[in-house]
Amino acid sequence: MIIIADGGSTKTNWCLVTEEGKKVYFNTEGYNPYFAPKEYIIQSLKESLPTDLEKDNITEVNYYGAGCSTPEMRKIVEDAMQVVFSKSKVNIGHDLLAAARALLGNNEGFAAILGTGTNTCLYDGKDVVNNIDSGAYILGDEGSGCYIGKKLLVDYLRGYMPEAVRKAFWEEFKLTPDDINEIVYTQPRANRFCASFSKFVYDNNVNIEYSRNLVRTSFEDFFKNLVTHYPDYQKYTFNCIGSVGYNFRNVLEEVCTENGMTVGNIIRSPIDNLVKYHLELAPSSL
């Protein structure tokens, strides 16, 4: 039995493939090693994995995760996974590689993640060959759920929000400016907190023009500061994975077209395509 997992900063999607080819899906929280140390990952997995999961019979774990872009960060996750899956070969890759393989298979092209965070790359059909640093949620992450959430919170704090939206925000969250500042600056996982408000933007029907403009300017920043800096970017199709890109795909497609790119695949989660990649295109290898 093998496991393929795609881990974002918020959630990890897992697929167990049995010897008979049966696929069993389950979820845990996300394990970004920049925010989750080894001990935390171990404890969370012990509490979150299905109780009937036969860990000793799993021969291989292929985990792709947010934050796993350097050997040091991959080692944190690998060590934690090896404790939990002690009889398995553990392979750790970056979630950007998972996105590229899920979107493009063995074909070269452009791939992006637009979820809690943002990432982009050029892919040669096997590996990521060009990646502009997203800057993460404090310095960058344009177009992400966190970026959209931050823009919303800034409008709320500064009084720029239309009155009807401000009222709806208060009725749903009951957060004062002091509450928001305390959570963002003193509590862990501020990126998840900010990203959680992208759902309010998506669900808000009080002032659709306001919400749409907030998302549009976020995607415009994403293209201006990241996508358009790739060499010959317009020769590639635009392929994207993530809940934010998927939920706001109508606006994303507009901005993409305005920047001279043809829209390719925009999907919510890579897990199904990633499983297919491992079973058909690259069996038993990360």
Side-chain angles (χ1 to χ4, degrees):
M1 296 193 296
I2 67 170
I3 279 180
I4 297 99
D6 170 63
S9 291
T10 302
K11 183 176 72 172
T12 301
N13 297 312
W14 301 76
C15 180
L16 171 72
V17 183
T18 68
E19 294 175 352
E20 297 77 27
K22 180 182 177 182
K23 300 171 185 175
V24 181
Y25 294 88
F26 52 93
N27 299 318
T28 66
E29 67 174 304
Y31 305 112
N32 188 323
Y34 282 96
F35 312 117
K38 171 186 170 182
E39 294 73 19
Y40 179 90
I41 297 172
I42 293 171
Q43 186 62 33
S44 176
L45 286 173
K46 288 181 177 180
E47 295 174 354
S48 304
L49 291 173
T51 55
D52 59 350
L53 184 66
E54 299 175 357
K55 293 191 287 291
D56 287 348
N57 293 329
I58 296 169
T59 58
E60 186 175 305
V61 175
N62 296 304
Y63 177 90
Y64 298 85
C68 296
S69 56
T70 68
E72 294 78 16
M73 293 298 106
R74 286 195 292 272
K75 188 72 164 57
I76 292 172
V77 179
E78 180 181 356
D79 288 349
M81 295 284 173
Q82 201 67 73
V83 170
V84 177
F85 300 100
S86 58
K87 302 292 181 64
S88 307
K89 176 185 177 184
V90 175
N91 300 309
I92 306 296
H94 193 202
D95 64 341
L96 186 57
L97 181 60
R101 289 177 170 176
L103 288 164
L104 298 164
N106 286 337
N107 300 311
E108 67 173 15
F110 174 89
I113 297 172
L114 284 172
T116 299
T118 292
N119 218 333
T120 54
C121 74
L122 295 182
Y123 174 70
D124 67 359
K126 183 179 179 181
D127 294 308
V128 171
V129 292
N130 192 348
N131 166 238
I132 297 173
D133 198 311
S134 72
Y137 79 99
I138 293 178
L139 300 178
D141 265 356
E142 293 91 335
S144 69
C146 183
Y147 193 80
I148 292 170
K150 284 195 297 182
K151 287 172 71 70
L152 181 81
L153 292 175
V154 167
D155 281 358
Y156 179 69
L157 293 174
R158 294 175 177 171
Y160 297 163
M161 217 179 244
E163 179 59 26
V165 180
R166 188 205 62 77
K167 182 178 179 182
F169 182 92
W170 171 255
E171 289 177 351
E172 181 164 349
F173 301 110
K174 296 294 192 296
L175 289 169
T176 67
D178 286 343
D179 293 333
I180 292 169
N181 282 314
E182 180 182 355
I183 293 170
V184 169
Y185 292 108
T186 68
Q187 297 187 20
R189 296 178 180 82
N191 61 325
R192 292 189 193 179
F193 172 74
C194 293
S196 68
F197 295 100
S198 64
K199 185 178 185 301
F200 174 80
V201 176
Y202 179 73
D203 292 337
N204 172 41
N205 291 317
V206 175
N207 189 322
I208 295 175
E209 182 180 357
Y210 168 77
S211 298
R212 185 179 179 82
N213 184 64
L214 193 118
V215 173
R216 167 174 270 278
T217 55
S218 297
F219 288 155
E220 288 172 347
D221 291 346
F222 168 65
F223 272 84
K224 177 183 176 182
N225 296 331
L226 289 167
V227 180
T228 59
H229 290 271
Y230 284 96
D232 301 320
Y233 73 95
Q234 292 176 326
K235 78 175 186 180
Y236 303 105
T237 59
F238 179 87
N239 304 283
C240 175
I241 273 177
S243 58
V244 172
Y246 183 82
N247 289 337
F248 297 112
R249 61 190 178 279
N250 291 339
V251 180
L252 179 59
E253 288 173 358
E254 289 178 4
V255 178
C256 181
T257 301
E258 289 168 4
N259 281 275
M261 292 186 78
T262 300
V263 177
N265 297 316
I266 298 179
I267 61 178
R268 181 185 294 275
S269 169
I271 191 65
D272 288 325
N273 289 359
L274 201 54
V275 170
K276 181 179 179 181
Y277 176 88
H278 275 275
L279 296 181
E280 298 178 10
L281 300 179
S284 298
S285 69
L286 188 68

